[in-house]
Amino acid sequence: MILLKHYGELSLLSSIVIVSNKKTKLDKSLSEEVHSFHKKFHKGEEKFDFLKTINGFVFFVKEEQKVEELRVLGSKVLGYLTKDNKSIYFSGESEAILAVTEGLILSSYQFIAYFKDAEKKKLGLSEVFLPTEISQKKLDELASIAKAVFWARDRVNEPVSHLNATQLAEHIAALAPEAGFSVQILEKTQIESLKMGGLLAVNRGSIDPPTFTIVEYKPEKAINKKPIVLVGKGVVYDTGGLSLKPTPASMDVMKCDMAGGACVVGAIYLAALQKLKVHIIALVPATDNRPGMNAYTPGDVITMYDGTTVEVLNTDAEGRMILADALAYANKFKPELVIDAATLTGAAVRAIGTKASIVMGNADNKYFDLLEKSGNETHERVVRFPFWDDYAEEMKSKIADLKNIGGANAGMITAGKFLEHFVKAPYIHMDIAGPAWLDAKEDYKGQGGTGAGVRLLYNFLKKLK
Ligand code: BES
Ligand code: ZN
Ligand code: ZN
C-alpha cells in the first residue's frame, strides 16, 4: 500500500505533479524549464501534460476540471511511472490534489500474488507526498478508502479455490481487531437450527458448508436509534447449479458473485475505520452454487427462514434465495433502513452496462436522494428503476407462496420484488452486477473486481442525519 505523507519542501529528486491554474505561482526551486513549460501549458487546450526530467517526471494538471476527470488523470499519472519512481510530490490547490491523489492511489491496486515473479511485477511507487494545507484527517480518510476498496477487490478477485464460504467469513472476522466492530459467524449447524431454507438449499450441491456472517459496528452516541442494516450477496462461486451456466463470458467470471458481500463489508469497515457515528450491521450469507451432491432442483419447493415457501424454477436464481433469508433475519434488528448489494441479475448488466448500479425500493425518497448524491460525488452512480407492485405478480407460484423467477422482461425488478417480500423495514435494493466486475482495465477502477459500492455506501452513511 502506498503511504500518504506531508512534506515541508518539494523534492526535486522525485517526480512531481503540479495541479494549477493560470494564476498559480510555481515554487521558485523548480527549474526555468518547468516554469516556461507551465506557462505554455496554460496557454494551450490540453488539461494534462508532462515533462520528462532526469529525476522522473513533472506532470501538469489543470485545476478547473470535474472531480472525476481529476481522478482519471491520477490513474494516468500512475501509468507513466516506472519501477524507479519510488515517490511523488504534489503541489497546488488542495481539493483538486485530493481528487488526483484518490485516482492515483485507487489505480495502484494490483492482484499479483499468484505470479511466480510477483515481486518483479510490483509497482515501484511507495510514497505520495502532499502539501500540509491538506489536513492529516483527509490523508487518513483517503488511506482508509483505499484500504477498504482494495479489501473488497481482493475478495472478488480471489478464486473459489482460495475463497470458499468459510474463508470469506474468516477474512471478514480478521478485520474486527483493527475496525473495532464485532463479527459473529454462524456455521452450518446453526444455519440449520435457524431453518434458513434458502441458504441451505443453494448449498446442497456443494461439499463446502455455508456461512452466515454478522458484523456489528455500534459507536457510542450514534446518530441513529435503529440500525442501518446492509446485506450482501456472498455467492463465492455461481455455476448456476443444475441450471448450469455456459462458460465463456458467463460462468468464467462468477467468482465475482460475492461482490455484494465484499461491498457491504468494505463499507462497514471503512465506516468503522473513520469512526462514523452511525450504528451499522452488515449481514453476509455465503455459499457456492453447484450442481453436485444433492443439489436443489428446478421444481423443488423450499421453506425459507421466515416460513415463506418458494418454488424453485431456476437454480441459477440463487442470489435471491440466500438474500431472502438474510433480509428476513434483518427484521429482528428493527432497522431504520435495509440496503442490500448484490450481483443479482444479468438483466441489470444488459440494461445499463457497467457504468452504474441499478437501485429500487420502497424507502423514503430522502434516502434515494442521498444515495444518488453520493453516487454522483463518488462517481459510483446509481439509476433508480420502478418498483411498482405489478411486477410482484410475476413472482406468484401455482403451488407455493412465490417462485424464484419472473417472466422474460425486467428481470432486475422482479428479482427486487421477490426480495422485498421478506423485508419489513424501509428497503433499498442495489443490483451491482454491472459495475462490480470489469473484463478490461478502466482507469482507476482497474480490471477484475472494482470494489463497486464501497465508496458509495460510505459516502451515503457519512451523509446520514
Ligand atoms: N450471478 C448471476 C447474475 C450475474 C450475471 C452477475 C452477470 C454478474 C454478471 C445470478 O445469480 C444469475 O445467474 N441470475 C440469473 C437469474 C435468472 C435465472 C432469473 C440471470 O440473470 O440470468
Ligand atoms: Zn445464478
Ligand atoms: Zn449469482
Side-chain angles (χ1 to χ4, degrees):
M1 179 75 93
I2 295 174
L3 296 175
L4 292 166
K5 295 181 174 171
H6 280 134
Y7 68 83
E9 265 171 57
L10 269 186
S11 161
L12 304 179
L13 299 173
S14 290
S15 289
I16 299 175
V17 181
I18 298 172
V19 183
S20 61
N21 60 41
K22 272 197 181 83
K23 293 183 184 146
T24 305
K25 291 229 166 12
L26 292 192
D27 196 295
K28 289 209 177 58
S29 61
L30 292 164
S31 69
E32 190 41 48
E33 191 189 12
V34 172
H35 280 267
S36 65
F37 194 97
H38 184 249
K39 257 191 213 135
K40 258 211 313 243
F41 172 64
H42 276 288
K43 279 191 189 129
E45 291 291 303
E46 297 296 324
K47 292 175 167 177
F48 172 84
D49 209 342
F50 67 89
L51 194 64
K52 181 116 186 51
T53 67
I54 39 165
N55 298 315
F57 297 87
V58 181
F59 298 98
F60 299 85
V61 174
K62 282 190 186 151
E63 176 191 308
E64 307 97 333
Q65 298 186 52
K66 291 201 181 103
V67 173
E68 179 62 7
E69 289 172 331
L70 291 167
R71 288 191 196 105
V72 170
L73 287 181
S75 74
K76 207 164 162 180
V77 164
L78 191 80
Y80 284 103
L81 300 183
T82 67
K83 192 93 178 158
D84 301 327
N85 304 130
K86 307 274 185 230
S87 61
I88 192 161
Y89 282 67
F90 277 80
S91 94
E93 194 273 324
S94 300
E95 286 298 312
I97 288 184
L98 269 170
V100 179
T101 307
E102 184 176 29
L104 181 135
I105 297 284
L106 289 177
S107 48
S108 73
Y109 174 81
Q110 297 184 287
F111 189 74
I112 53 176
Y114 295 119
F115 287 111
K116 225 186 200 170
D117 59 347
E119 208 40 51
K120 247 201 218 151
K121 288 194 155 63
K122 225 167 144 185
L123 272 177
L125 186 68
S126 63
E127 290 175 314
V128 171
F129 289 93
L130 301 169
T132 46
E133 290 86 70
I134 300 176
S135 67
Q136 186 61 43
K137 212 170 141 205
K138 285 278 179 199
L139 259 61
D140 292 343
E141 183 181 38
L142 194 47
S144 298
I145 289 172
K147 218 180 211 184
V149 170
F150 291 1
W151 185 89
R153 287 182 186 176
D154 272 343
R155 293 334 108 188
V156 175
N157 289 329
E158 281 294 353
V160 67
S161 56
H162 293 71
L163 192 83
N164 61 23
T166 303
Q167 287 162 318
L168 175 59
E170 284 166 355
H171 289 200
I172 297 170
L175 298 174
E178 183 196 8
F181 50 44
S182 71
V183 178
Q184 186 191 1
I185 302 171
L186 304 183
E187 293 183 352
K188 188 172 182 185
T189 47
Q190 293 162 293
I191 295 167
E192 281 167 344
S193 11
L194 287 169
K195 299 201 172 80
M196 290 190 167
L199 179 54
L200 290 164
V202 176
N203 182 251
R204 265 169 38 196
S206 173
I207 54 165
D208 294 328
T211 55
F212 188 95
T213 305
I214 303 161
V215 185
E216 178 162 24
Y217 169 63
K218 191 173 185 183
E220 275 172 30
K221 300 198 188 114
I223 55 157
N224 51 335
K225 291 216 170 59
K226 303 195 269 169
I228 307 293
V229 178
L230 307 176
V231 179
K233 173 177 174 182
V235 172
V236 288
Y237 195 77
D238 184 10
T239 68
L242 286 170
S243 313
L244 198 66
K245 284 182 186 294
T247 301
S250 179
M251 198 201 296
D252 49 6
V253 292
M254 278 304 137
K255 66 176 184 181
C256 81
D257 215 16
M258 32 58 67
C263 161
V264 301
V265 174
I268 196 172
Y269 177 40
L270 183 48
L273 287 176
Q274 286 304 111
K275 302 200 163 33
L276 293 192
K277 290 284 178 207
V278 187
H279 181 196
I280 313 160
I281 293 170
L283 306 175
V284 183
T287 178
D288 51 338
N289 180 29
R290 290 190 201 250
M293 307 272 282
N294 190 25
Y296 81 137
T297 68
D300 275 355
V301 174
I302 306 297
T303 304
M304 309 292 278
Y305 172 67
D306 76 346
T308 302
T309 54
V310 175
E311 182 188 13
V312 175
L313 288 175
N314 191 319
T315 62
D316 198 10
E318 84 298 338
R320 62 198 75 183
M321 298 297 288
I322 73 166
L323 286 168
D325 281 351
L327 290 167
Y329 188 83
N331 294 331
K332 80 171 201 172
F333 301 110
K334 303 206 176 348
E336 170 186 332
L337 173 71
V338 175
I339 304 180
D340 79 55
T343 46
L344 204 63
T345 64
V349 192
R350 286 190 294 277
I352 61 167
T354 61
K355 301 294 176 194
S357 294
I358 292 179
V359 299
M360 60 194 85
N362 57 31
D364 194 286
N365 281 340
K366 74 173 183 194
Y367 294 114
F368 281 97
D369 292 346
L370 220 54
L371 195 62
E372 196 185 342
K373 205 161 174 232
S374 298
N376 293 335
E377 281 180 24
T378 56
H379 207 70
E380 294 207 295
R381 293 165 297 184
V382 301
V383 180
R384 188 172 179 181
F385 270 40
F387 208 51
W388 300 305
D389 284 337
D390 316 43
Y391 293 100
E393 290 300 311
E394 289 184 33
M395 304 310 289
K396 286 187 178 150
S397 157
K398 289 194 184 76
I399 64 157
D401 300 327
L402 293 175
K403 55 189 169 81
N404 80 333
I405 53 167
N409 302 322
M412 73 301 263
I413 306 177
T414 50
K417 291 309 271 187
F418 176 92
L419 295 176
E420 184 192 31
H421 171 92
F422 298 88
V423 192
K424 292 209 172 104
Y427 175 51
I428 296 179
H429 165 57
M430 300 207 311
D431 196 328
I432 63 168
W437 179 270
L438 292 172
D439 289 324
K441 183 176 156 50
E442 224 176 84
D443 53 68
Y444 64 89
K445 293 184 279 298
Q447 181 271 319
T450 58
V454 174
R455 290 160 58 243
L456 167 72
L457 286 181
Y458 166 67
N459 187 296
F460 172 83
L461 293 164
K462 202 169 137 179
K463 281 190 166 51
L464 278 181
K465 288 216 177 69

